[in-house]
Amino acid sequence: MRNLLPGLIANTEQGLADRHVCLRRYGPGRLVLEGYDRPGLFYIQHGRMELLITTADGNERCMRILSESDLFGLECLYAELPDPGYQVRAITYSSVVHVDLELLDRWLATVPEFRHRLAARIAADIARLEQEREKTMAFSVAERLVCYLRCGETCAHLSPAPPEPAGPLPMAILARRIGCSPAYLSRAVRKLAQQGVVQRVNHLPRIDRMENFSPCPCSVVPEGGELRHALHRSA
């Protein structure tokens, strides 16, 4: 979608685009879905955001860090529009394009490439959510942290080379992304730093030598086993 969606917008007749496409900018901490009275698809043109749900115990859990070219709002394609059940909040200064459902329906009917690539994106998102569920259930906080620092948003255990790392996340946001409290994450980072698995840079955890974790650590953990490189379930 990185080039396809901007291209579709650019090739849309100006009057039509003025009615059905809008661009909004958000500062850090701003919520994105507030103020929209029409369903539609959101496309991040620039910036980083967190997609949040509220857990049964009332805490926020970040299900995904969104960045340039990512989409959200796909629930608008359902015949009966459900409550999305999530919110999106800006981490950095961000720009977001909103395309309303009427124009989306036109593209789906007339642009086969858009239809096929959107279906592939939906399938990938479903697979990612299932992977997220499995990791949350199977791995300790320390294991999820190492995997996230190595792989980011897309677990790359099938790829021989680590992906390019994104900018570090503040500890509070990283804790929401990993699925734990900030205090629990701080304790896990301290233990991993003592083991030499992670390093602290400006008080934030990172892995200096990504090649030591190729393939992804979570891909080599047998059922009931341990991560490599002296990473234990002590956190």
Side-chain angles (χ1 to χ4, degrees), residues 43-60:
Y43 173 86
I44 299 179
Q45 187 181 73
H46 171 75
R48 295 179 84 190
M49 300 183 154
E50 52 179 336
L51 191 152
L52 299 160
I53 63 170
T54 301
T55 62
D57 55 7
N59 294 318
E60 286 185 336

Side-chain angles (χ1 to χ4, degrees), residues 8 103-115:
L8 285 172
L103 184 55
L104 279 180
D105 283 341
R106 178 178 298 212
W107 288 345
L108 287 169
T110 61
V111 185
E113 183 182 3
F114 176 70
R115 186 166 61 246

Side-chain angles (χ1 to χ4, degrees), residues 129-143:
L129 284 173
E130 177 60 19
Q131 183 183 72
E132 187 78 22
R133 185 188 69 83
E134 291 178 353
K135 285 185 182 179
T136 300
M137 294 175 61
F139 298 134
S140 70
V141 170
E143 291 167 339

Side-chain angles (χ1 to χ4, degrees), residues 77-95:
L77 299 174
Y78 288 98
E80 296 182 4
L81 182 67
D83 184 323
Y86 65 87
Q87 184 53 269
V88 175
R89 184 163 60 211
I91 299 173
T92 64
Y93 287 98
S94 305
S95 300

Side-chain angles (χ1 to χ4, degrees), residues 1-8 43 69 117:
M1 291 291 178
R2 181 178 294 272
N3 297 316
L4 178 59
L5 195 58
L8 285 172
Y43 173 86
S69 82
R117 290 175 64 175

Side-chain angles (χ1 to χ4, degrees), residues 111-168:
V111 185
E113 183 182 3
F114 176 70
R115 186 166 61 246
H116 296 155
R117 290 175 64 175
L118 191 61
R121 175 62 66 91
I122 292 172
D125 285 348
I126 292 172
R128 184 182 294 111
L129 284 173
E130 177 60 19
Q131 183 183 72
E132 187 78 22
R133 185 188 69 83
E134 291 178 353
K135 285 185 182 179
T136 300
M137 294 175 61
F139 298 134
S140 70
V141 170
E143 291 167 339
R144 297 201 300 271
L145 173 61
V146 170
C147 184
Y148 189 78
L149 292 176
R150 192 275 184 190
C151 292
E153 289 302 313
T154 303
C155 187
H157 66 267
L158 297 180
S159 173
E164 288 295 322

